[in-house]
Amino acid sequence: MTTPDFNVTGKTILITGGTGGIGGAFAKGFVASGAKVIVADLAEPKEPNSRIRYETLDVRDDAAVAALASRVESLDAVIHCAGKLSRWEEYKPDVFKDILDIHLVGNLRLANAFRPHLKASKGCLINIASMYAYFGAPQVPAYSAAKTAVISLTKSLAISFAEDGIRVNAIAPGWIKTEISRGGRENPEFNNKVVARIPGGEWAEPEDLVGTAIFLVSRASKLINGVTIPVDGGYCAS
Ligand SMILES: NC(=O)c1ccc[n+]([C@@H]2O[C@H](COP(=O)([O-])OP(=O)(O)OC[C@H]3O[C@@H](n4cnc5c(N)ncnc54)[C@H](O)[C@@H]3O)[C@@H](O)[C@H]2O)c1
């Protein structure tokens, strides 16, 4: 029996939304684990890390995604962490479409653009779902629909990209302390309901997701394909 290979040293990882909370934790975690990281985000990093390459990217922009793909030589993984929600605004069709564009179409755009890179490296895609993929969310109906669809897209891409040796999985984070979730955390009624259902009784840190992402990129997970892993402190179980 050989030791399972969790090593990501020397691998190159593209992280969209990598100046945000979860993407930022992934970026730092992969760098600390010996990987090279390219962060692609609309926003500039607040505290740039000299070991990370930063690219400005709007994941809604076909041409910008294609241009980035042409500037990136090789890649072992793409993690799509760019995200946004608009509480109570998503019933407007334009807002609904915009949210789908970022989370869902953006996912497909990145998958298509970086497929050749991932084919060459026998790499992987990691998509980001949510607890809202599993149940309705009246305050963010587009976000919830997009996240449910991300689970489905993950399965379809896993089957389709398997012929190129590319694995496609997703992580469904639980309740994580970042900017996107601030509105919920700061609403006492909403916050109390969430906390009451988390077996551990508290929101998690973005760093709590990093181990799962590293596992999914590493060879230790080579048989894992087309799945969405809830990393939620038991929220789905309760
Ligand atoms: N925080 C949570 O509790 C939670 C739970 C489940 C899922 N998620 C998901 O995790 C992912 C990361 O979210 P987060 O919690 O780090 O939020 P965050 O707000 O901290 O980060 C989101 C990042 O996405 C970037 N972004 C937004 N629109 C973009 C665009 N069009 N192009 C490129 N970049 C864009 C923002 O600039 C920001 O840096 C999102 O997909 C989010 O839906 C978060």
Side-chain angles (χ1 to χ4, degrees):
M1 173 70 187
T2 51
T3 312
D5 181 4
F6 293 97
N7 193 8
V8 295
T9 305
K11 291 187 185 290
T12 305
I13 320 293
L14 174 71
I15 304 173
T16 71
T19 73
I22 293 173
F26 284 166
K28 283 189 204 139
F30 274 100
V31 163
S33 303
K36 296 172 204 150
V37 170
I38 304 169
V39 156
D41 199 305
L42 258 184
E44 300 285 320
K46 287 189 194 85
E47 292 168 22
N49 179 325
S50 59
R51 294 165 70 193
I52 296 174
R53 168 178 163 190
Y54 293 96
E55 295 276 352
T56 303
L57 179 74
D58 185 338
V59 298
R60 296 167 295 189
D61 184 337
D62 285 321
V65 172
L68 178 61
S70 69
R71 289 198 299 278
V72 170
E73 263 182 31
S74 65
L75 212 53
D76 296 281
V78 176
I79 311 181
H80 180 35
C81 282
K84 177 179 145 181
L85 47 75
S86 299
R87 285 181 189 81
W88 301 111
E89 293 292 317
E90 296 180 6
Y91 288 89
K92 297 173 187 158
D94 283 352
V95 179
F96 194 99
K97 282 193 244 176
D98 188 51
I99 299 295
L100 255 60
D101 202 3
I102 295 170
H103 293 273
L104 182 61
V105 188
N107 218 140
L108 179 73
R109 218 171 256 129
L110 291 158
N112 286 336
F114 290 98
R115 184 172 183 168
H117 305 69
L118 299 177
K119 179 179 180 180
S121 63
K122 301 289 172 246
C124 71
L125 271 166
I126 301 178
N127 305 329
I128 304 295
S130 161
M131 293 298 99
Y132 287 144
Y134 303 113
F135 57 89
Q139 72 282 22
V140 286
Y143 181 86
S144 176
K147 294 303 193 181
T148 305
V150 163
I151 293 182
S152 175
L153 182 63
T154 297
K155 294 178 193 172
S156 300
L157 290 177
I159 299 165
S160 163
F161 283 26
E163 68 185 30
D164 289 341
I166 301 168
R167 292 180 302 117
V168 185
N169 292 296
I171 293 171
W175 303 92
I176 315 294
K177 292 181 212 160
T178 68
E179 194 51 42
I180 210 172
S181 59
R182 179 183 297 281
R185 274 197 321 283
E186 292 181 351
N187 175 333
E189 192 190 344
F190 181 90
N191 185 55
N192 290 343
K193 262 169 61 182
V194 167
V195 169
R197 193 174 156 186
I198 304 171
E202 55 185 20
W203 288 66
E205 301 295 336
E207 290 72 20
D208 296 329
L209 302 169
V210 173
T212 306
I214 287 182
F215 168 62
L216 286 175
V217 169
S218 77
R219 293 305 296 161
S221 65
K222 73 174 188 182
L223 209 55
I224 296 187
N225 199 11
V227 305
T228 298
I229 303 179
V231 185
D232 64 348
Y235 184 87
C236 280
S238 67

